[in-house]
Amino acid sequence: MRLEEQMKSGLLYREYGHKDPVDQEYEKIIEKQRVNAKEMMFDFNNTRPSDMETRTKILKELLGSVGKGIYLEPPAHFAYGCNTHIGKNFYANFNFQVVDDCEVFIGDDVMCGPNVLLCVTGHPLDPEYRLGGTQFSLPIHIGNCVWLGAGVMVMPGVTIGDNCVIGAGSIVTKDIPANSLAYGSPCKVIREIGEYDKKYFRKDVLVNDFK
């Protein structure tokens, strides 16, 4: 099986050292993509705070797709960039990190606190198989209207449903169904978000007129 197929099918692969000419050519392609992501995010992270036009231009050129109203607070980092797809009205606070060796899909109206990590890639447990940097990659899907609290880590292959809130410091290793409050390490569903939350914006504190 070709390197490209291994990377996109969740199987083990190595990014370097292939003998097949087709795989060697693909090595060059992904190396160029990785370097391009680092170069473009270097430029992004060194823009002046007022230069939103340049920041938006860089993200539109780098990312696989991006909606209107995207805002990333520098610094931010992508492994590839071209494999990440972000919807409209996205906000990420300082140090948003995306290890996107395969695709990452983020819906509309998503918010991320500081130090959020989305990581599609892992490594085998057996030390022999890890030699040479062997890894696997599984897509991440994040729905609409999701809030990832500060320091949340989302691991390979995870899907987080619409309207979820993931509490600060959580490590998300399994899928989280829509409309869930979830937190912990590993992250677990605590309860469903519902009518109580329409009345109280935090525990026993009534929603005030903020409009």
Side-chain angles (χ1 to χ4, degrees), residues 158-176:
V158 165
T159 294
I160 297 175
D162 293 346
N163 307 318
C164 285
V165 174
I166 309 298
S170 297
I171 302 178
V172 190
T173 60
K174 296 182 179 180
D175 293 353
I176 305 296

Side-chain angles (χ1 to χ4, degrees), residues 113-117 147-155 165-173 182-188:
N115 298 308
V116 165
L117 167 66
W147 172 23
L148 305 179
V152 166
M153 300 182 185
V154 182
M155 297 293 102
V165 174
I166 309 298
S170 297
I171 302 178
V172 190
T173 60
Y183 52 79
S185 178
C187 187
K188 297 180 180 179

Side-chain angles (χ1 to χ4, degrees), residues 67-128:
K68 294 182 179 180
I70 183 172
Y71 185 93
L72 273 68
E73 191 74 58
H77 302 278
F78 295 88
Y80 285 79
C82 59
N83 293 328
T84 296
H85 306 269
I86 300 178
K88 65 182 181 181
N89 302 326
F90 174 79
Y91 172 80
N93 212 319
F94 303 106
N95 208 29
F96 180 60
Q97 304 169 74
V98 185
V99 181
D100 57 345
D101 294 47
C102 70
E103 289 184 306
V104 173
F105 299 94
I106 300 172
D108 298 336
D109 302 297
V110 171
M111 298 192 307
C112 297
N115 298 308
V116 165
L117 167 66
L118 309 180
C119 182
V120 304
T121 294
H123 302 275
L125 296 180
D126 190 287
E128 180 181 353

Side-chain angles (χ1 to χ4, degrees), residues 183-198:
Y183 52 79
S185 178
C187 187
K188 297 180 180 179
V189 175
I190 304 302
R191 65 174 177 84
E192 185 176 7
I193 296 171
E195 291 303 314
Y196 176 90
D197 305 288
K198 292 186 181 299

Side-chain angles (χ1 to χ4, degrees), residues 23 30 49 52 77 89 118 125 140 142 145 152 154-155 179 183-184 201 209 211:
D23 290 338
I30 60 176
M52 293 304 301
H77 302 278
N89 302 326
L118 309 180
L125 296 180
I140 287 173
I142 296 174
C145 297
V152 166
V154 182
M155 297 293 102
N179 304 303
Y183 52 79
F201 72 95
D209 184 6
K211 298 179 181 178

